[in-house]
Amino acid sequence: MGNVFYGRSLTVIEDFSIEERRYFFKKVHELKSAVLAGDEKTLDRFRINDPDFGIYEVFLEDSTRTKESFRNAAKFHHAKVSELLCSSSSINKGESYADTFNMLSGYSNTIFIVRSKVEGLCRYLDEESRAYTQRNGLPVKPAFINAGDGKHEHPTQELLDEYTFLEDNNMDFSSLHVALVGDLYHGRTVHSKADGLKVFDNVRVDLIAPPELSMPDSYVEKMKENGFTVRSFSSIEEYLSSGDIADKWYFTRPQLERMGERILQKQAELRASITFRQEFMPRLKEGTKFYHPLPRHKEHPTIPTFLDNTPLNAWERQAINGMYCRIILLSLIAGRIGEDYDGPVRKPDESLTGEEYIVEVDLTGRKADEKVKNYSEGVHPIDNGIVIDHICKGENPSQIRAHMRLISSVLGIDEGRGGEWISRGADGNYKGIIFRPGDYELSRKDLKRLAAIAPHCTLNIIKNGKVMAKFRTHMPPRIYNFDDLCCTNEACISHPSQGESVPSMFIRTSDGHYACAYCGKFHSYKEIWKSRG
Ligand code: NCD
């Protein structure tokens, strides 16, 4: 099967399958044992050992641990390590990310480690570099490692967090009970846990944060879909009173730099609810460990420094593990190790092809002269035209009306004759109907657009008073390739305010939302269109 890790990007934790991650942890364990035993021969088996292998760090946001552990990991490999000095790069002259990174990959750089405020940047660069590599006949397409993108994900931190949990579980994947404490709203390390913790079989997650800093719903939903048992508490105090306490506590720092004025004003109060205190000590479970991605705030650490010299301290070992995990990640992506892996490989878009979401209804057997009697309510029967029926069935009339306006606008049929109608069925449910008399020729792309803006509808095409064709629409697995789509997250690489001209793409989630393919933000199918005045 070859080396499945070779050249792969890690843009979100799900880019590696669960089995691939378990294999990764096994390798980290081997490496760490060899380091501790001073076993140079084993260590050499992990080494890239190529002074021309280019590893490039691009940190557009501050970092100590991630940047330095990657730099030292790259040095372990005897590879070429470079760093873009962002404060003096042409990004400040308005150069696009695509141009910047493509250029650097042209200078024999194979792995990029990227930290940025822009969410989904690595996913975009990974796509963008494919064409550049081909155009310029480069020998390899570069890989991109997300070293933290805004509030979105931090997959390499996730790997080292999980590895440290595993060490404390004697490398046993069968169960995990963890409390996530702190700024769960802004913290990307805890967001990566929604998919990351799937490597464990039975997962219980306790979320401890005041409402202002609570975990966004989409991540809570994802955790539940992934089969985790999730509970929420607004303070450590409240959590301890629940009586059922985790043996692993993962603290995070209030991310003041990402907060608005309103929350900042309350920072002392918020901090108090997520800061550990001496008086809590007797209420901890035996064998409890504390973890933290770090940094801690020097004046207001959520894990106070008096705990440093106690058995609770796992956060220091966690940070040290960061370098071992990053050595293994580079080794895998460079194809130095990984040949012996034979488990499932993560193929991101596998489930999304071949699904039919525009289904033509078979009209044979219907009476040849069947009129469009259903559509004559309130308007004249239509001789030629289109009727879109069953719009927003079950919603209230004003929601249906608003959505019919959006449908007309998105389909470009708001200038035509005809009208909109709301009817109420025998079951008491309202539904919307759009009538458009006239000559309409709908292409396959128009039908795709219709399914995207009006799923669960029927489209009737009427010619000479007869329904000539009827289609039922379902939620498309992916919505893309329309230039009026827009992710609502301003920090997303695909948002127009980023000025990078990245076309939007949305992927249906198992609970019927559309996640942005770049930043992962959940939307309803109504929310993904550029606002129309
Ligand atoms: C975290 C980050 O940057 O997301 N730090 C890290 O990578 N070790 C957490 C933080 O900044 O609080």
Side-chain angles (χ1 to χ4, degrees):
M1 167 155 106
N3 190 334
V4 297
F5 295 98
Y6 175 66
R8 292 258 292 278
S9 287
L10 179 65
T11 68
V12 290
I13 191 67
E14 278 281 87
D15 282 345
F16 284 7
S17 72
I18 292 175
E19 287 307 322
E20 286 173 332
R21 282 181 255 162
R22 288 184 173 181
Y23 174 88
F24 170 93
F25 297 129
K26 216 176 88 199
K27 292 291 155 191
V28 176
H29 207 58
E30 283 172 29
L31 174 92
K32 187 170 176 182
S33 311
V35 171
L36 298 180
D39 176 356
E40 276 303 319
K41 209 162 146 239
T42 303
L43 291 180
D44 254 354
R45 291 211 317 268
F46 293 98
R47 270 207 179 92
I48 299 173
N49 236 339
D50 176 357
D52 294 327
F53 188 93
I55 298 174
Y56 216 109
E57 290 199 319
V58 182
F59 278 70
L60 298 147
E61 248 192 356
D62 297 342
S63 173
T64 303
R65 262 151 299 272
T66 307
K67 187 168 157 194
E68 291 306 311
S69 61
F70 261 122
R71 202 167 59 82
N72 284 286
K75 289 203 157 166
F76 165 91
H77 283 298
H78 302 161
K80 177 180 84 173
V81 194
S82 319
E83 178 188 352
L84 185 71
L85 296 174
C86 299
S87 58
S88 54
S89 83
S90 291
I91 291 176
N92 304 320
K93 297 180 186 168
E95 183 168 32
S96 73
Y97 292 117
D99 280 357
T100 305
F101 282 87
N102 281 340
M103 192 47 60
L104 296 174
S105 62
Y107 304 150
S108 305
N109 288 301
T110 310
I111 300 181
F112 287 94
I113 299 154
V114 186
R115 171 171 286 191
S116 165
K117 281 191 175 54
V118 182
E119 301 180 15
L121 178 57
C122 279
R123 160 83 206 246
Y124 167 62
L125 294 172
D126 184 52
E127 289 168 358
E128 191 58 29
S129 65
R130 209 173 298 278
Y132 180 87
T133 307
Q134 273 171 13
R135 278 199 299 276
N136 292 287
L138 299 183
V140 277
K141 186 197 127 354
F144 294 86
I145 298 175
N146 177 5
D149 58 341
K151 300 195 294 297
H152 181 215
E153 281 224 23
H154 196 342
T156 65
Q157 180 71 43
E158 181 57 21
L159 291 171
L160 75 93
D161 293 347
E162 286 167 28
Y163 178 72
T164 315
F165 295 159
L166 269 170
E167 275 187 332
D168 293 328
N169 269 9
N170 295 319
M171 300 307 283
D172 174 9
F173 290 99
S174 62
S175 69
L176 180 81
H177 187 188
V178 65
L180 305 180
V181 191
D183 188 349
L184 308 185
Y185 183 80
H186 300 95
R188 52 198 172 200
T189 68
V190 286
H191 298 166
S192 282
K193 296 206 160 22
D195 280 324
L197 298 181
K198 275 167 36 181
V199 292
F200 294 93
D201 294 331
N202 289 297
V203 180
R204 296 178 63 195
V205 179
D206 298 331
L207 306 171
I208 305 170
E212 291 83 350
L213 303 182
S214 67
M215 183 73 95
D217 287 345
S218 55
Y219 292 108
V220 179
E221 281 311 308
K222 215 188 247 186
M223 287 184 173
K224 289 183 180 163
E225 272 171 35
N226 288 336
F228 306 175
T229 305
V230 184
R231 301 184 300 165
S232 300
F233 304 87
S234 61
S235 66
I236 294 180
E237 190 112 53
E238 188 192 319
Y239 181 51
L240 287 169
S241 311
S242 78
D244 183 9
I245 311 294
D247 60 349
K248 294 186 173 56
W249 291 46
Y250 184 93
F251 284 82
T252 62
R253 158 186 82 89
Q255 301 205 355
L256 305 177
E257 73 278 21
R258 298 188 207 278
M259 292 179 191
E261 245 336 283
R262 193 184 55 83
I263 312 185
L264 277 178
Q265 277 167 6
K266 294 177 74 179
Q267 54 174 295
E269 186 190 320
L270 298 176
R271 208 182 294 116
S273 60
I274 52 173
T275 299
F276 196 78
R277 298 201 293 269
Q278 177 95 55
E279 72 207 62
F280 297 148
M281 290 286 275
R283 294 159 79 183
L284 290 176
K285 253 177 128 158
E286 178 143 2
T288 297
K289 295 281 178 210
F290 282 2
Y291 308 83
H292 197 308
L294 304 175
R296 288 189 286 187
H297 193 279
K298 61 185 170 192
E299 287 168 90
H300 308 291
T302 50
I303 301 181
T305 48
F306 72 84
L307 293 174
D308 290 4
N309 214 7
T310 70
L312 289 172
N313 184 345
W315 62 90
E316 289 175 350
R317 179 167 38 92
Q318 180 190 358
I320 294 168
N321 284 340
M323 190 180 71
Y324 301 133
C325 288
R326 286 163 177 140
I327 287 175
I328 292 299
L329 184 62
L330 295 173
S331 202
L332 284 168
I333 296 175
R336 181 72 180 97
I337 55 168
E339 291 279 351
D340 58 334
Y341 175 78
D342 61 0
V345 180
R346 165 87 178 143
K347 292 205 199 86
D349 293 344
E350 207 170 25
S351 59
L352 300 172
T353 45
E355 185 180 318
E356 200 39 87
Y357 55 92
I358 305 161
V359 180
E360 183 157 13
V361 179
D362 184 4
L363 296 177
T364 51
R366 298 210 175 181
K367 276 189 251 141
D369 61 350
E370 192 177 5
K371 278 272 177 190
V372 281
K373 50 187 178 303
N374 291 342
Y375 306 121
S376 58
E377 194 177 1
V379 291
H380 295 298
I382 296 174
D383 278 331
N384 289 295
I386 54 173
V387 175
I388 305 167
D389 196 358
H390 301 284
I391 297 168
C392 300
K393 196 165 178 188
E395 294 183 29
N396 71 42
S398 62
Q399 287 170 322
I400 299 175
R401 212 163 268 125
H403 193 58
M404 288 199 290
R405 274 198 298 277
L406 183 65
I407 293 175
S408 295
S409 160
V410 166
L411 296 181
I413 57 171
D414 43 5
E415 302 276 300
R417 287 185 296 128
E420 280 78 48
W421 188 255
I422 291 181
S423 73
R424 192 172 194 185
D427 57 2
N429 279 327
Y430 292 102
K431 64 170 186 171
I433 310 171
I434 297 176
F435 308 86
R436 288 289 182 276
D439 288 325
Y440 286 91
E441 293 299 330
L442 298 180
S443 65
R444 174 79 189 160
K445 186 155 181 181
D446 294 330
L447 289 177
K448 285 185 168 178
R449 218 171 154 75
L450 174 75
I453 184 73
H456 317 301
C457 291
T458 53
L459 167 72
N460 299 275
I461 299 180
I462 298 153
K463 297 246 187 292
N464 302 321
K466 287 177 206 150
V467 178
M468 293 305 290
K470 192 181 189 89
F471 297 90
R472 278 190 225 294
T473 58
H474 302 278
M475 294 182 82
R478 267 192 297 189
I479 303 180
Y480 62 108
N481 211 6
F482 300 125
D483 45 16
D484 48 351
L485 292 171
C486 181
C487 174
T488 58
N489 175 9
E490 285 190 13
C492 175
I493 183 71
S494 73
H495 193 274
S497 65
Q498 296 292 340
E500 298 275 334
S501 310
V502 178
S504 301
M505 183 190 286
F506 296 92
I507 297 171
R508 194 183 63 207
T509 64
S510 49
D511 69 345
H513 281 93
Y514 280 99
C516 170
Y518 297 99
C519 73
K521 184 169 178 188
F522 277 30
H523 299 79
S524 77
Y525 69 90
K526 298 178 180 178
E527 289 167 335
I528 59 178
W529 305 90
K530 271 186 196 138
S531 76
R532 291 151 183 280

